[in-house]
Amino acid sequence: ETAVFQTPNYHVTQVGNEVSFNCKQTLGHDTMYWYKQDSKKLLKIMFSYNNKQLIVNETVPRRFSPQSSDKAHLNLRIKSVEPEDSAVYLCASSSLGGSAETLYFGSGTRLTVL
Amino acid sequence: AQSVTQPDARVTVSEGASLQLRCKYSYSATPYLFWYVQYPRQGLQLLLKYYSGDPVVQGVNSFEAEFSKSNSSFHLQKASVHWSDSAVYFCALRLSGSFNKLTFGAGTRLAVCP
């Protein structure tokens, strides 16, 4: 099956802990993304990688760091979580070439910070 | 800066009725425009996209959208909705050369009543 896979589906943790989310795509794409979706469903891009190189880095707190081992994997680490980090984190992938490439999304990781 | 506005946070229609979900964008040139749908506990899926040519684009599940440069709009339409269309719908734009970085609207939650 070709798709975007995210683990875990849910994660509950306490303020100050470190968390790590995994994302893998089997679509053969060269570009991957992390989006944050808040409780009001607002979506904002956080990072984008093309062939393991960071190409988009929006203004996010330094405690967030993406990690890419190859073009099929893009993980997200949060060093010391805070309550406002509670959200759904969506991973996506696409091909970079072309004029209007489709993004394919995973089902998300829901983070709850107590 | 570019932006996307979806003026209706929630829309309720009866099954079999026609549907229009509104989307307005702000950008000096013509961007690439997309409609995505998010079903409960899932990631986003592409419905359709526009980047040039015929202003009426056809998408999956009998959805279509009409681009209007004069109105800076990209409204989504469907002639007859089904209860399974209940979901959150997002309009998004991408600027040329922006590495597939999508700017999303706030979303419209559609409820289809039997």
Side-chain angles (χ1 to χ4, degrees), chain A residues 41-43, chain B residues 3-10 21-25 34-36 74-76 88-92 103-109:
Chain A
K41 296 288 189 182
L42 290 172
L43 281 153
Chain B
S3 67
V4 178
T5 302
Q6 294 180 247
D8 305 308
R10 304 180 79 93
L21 300 181
R22 296 184 291 164
C23 173
K24 301 263 296 183
Y25 68 89
F34 304 79
W35 274 99
Y36 280 83
F74 189 54
H75 300 331
L76 182 70
V88 181
Y89 292 79
F90 292 93
C91 183
T103 298
F104 284 91
T108 297
R109 184 179 294 276

Side-chain angles (χ1 to χ4, degrees), chain B residues 9-32:
Chain B
R10 304 180 79 93
V11 170
T12 301
V13 297
S14 298
E15 193 166 25
S18 62
L19 170 72
Q20 183 186 71
L21 300 181
R22 296 184 291 164
C23 173
K24 301 263 296 183
Y25 68 89
S26 174
Y27 184 56
S28 55
T30 300
Y32 302 118

Side-chain angles (χ1 to χ4, degrees), chain A residues 6 21 33-48 58-61 63-64 76 78 81-92 105 108-113, chain B residues 38 44 90 102 104-106:
Chain A
Q6 290 186 239
F21 306 145
Y33 314 79
W34 278 107
Y35 279 82
K36 180 180 179 181
Q37 186 173 38
D38 66 19
S39 58
K40 296 182 179 178
K41 296 288 189 182
L42 290 172
L43 281 153
K44 292 229 173 126
I45 189 167
M46 301 174 70
F47 303 101
S48 174
E58 293 297 295
T59 307
V60 299
R63 60 182 180 277
F64 289 85
L76 181 67
I78 313 174
V81 296
E82 297 189 6
E84 61 263 32
D85 298 336
S86 293
V88 176
Y89 292 87
L90 291 166
C91 177
F105 285 83
T109 294
R110 182 179 296 276
L111 173 66
T112 301
V113 181
Chain B
Q38 186 176 31
L44 281 71
F90 292 93
L102 292 179
F104 284 91

Side-chain angles (χ1 to χ4, degrees), chain B residues 15-99:
Chain B
E15 193 166 25
S18 62
L19 170 72
Q20 183 186 71
L21 300 181
R22 296 184 291 164
C23 173
K24 301 263 296 183
Y25 68 89
S26 174
Y27 184 56
S28 55
T30 300
Y32 302 118
L33 293 160
F34 304 79
W35 274 99
Y36 280 83
V37 61
Q38 186 176 31
Y39 298 103
R41 293 175 297 283
Q42 294 187 28
L44 281 71
Q45 303 170 34
L46 181 73
L47 281 177
L48 46 80
K49 58 187 177 184
Y50 171 82
Y51 49 93
S52 67
D54 189 338
V56 178
V57 291
Q58 306 295 323
V60 299
N61 294 339
S62 302
F63 282 96
E64 67 176 35
E66 183 167 4
F67 167 71
S68 171
K69 187 170 183 177
S70 60
N71 293 325
S72 297
S73 66
F74 189 54
H75 300 331
L76 182 70
Q77 295 164 334
K78 187 169 184 178
S80 177
V81 296
H82 187 264
W83 65 266
S84 60
D85 293 324
S86 297
V88 181
Y89 292 79
F90 292 93
C91 183
L93 68 79
R94 180 177 81 81
L95 307 180
S96 176
S98 62
F99 296 110

Side-chain angles (χ1 to χ4, degrees), chain A residues 10 15-16 20 26 32 58-59 81 84 95 103 107 111-112:
Chain A
Y10 302 90
V15 171
S20 187
T26 57
M32 296 184 72
E58 293 297 295
T59 307
V81 296
E84 61 263 32
S95 296
L103 265 62
S107 56
L111 173 66
T112 301

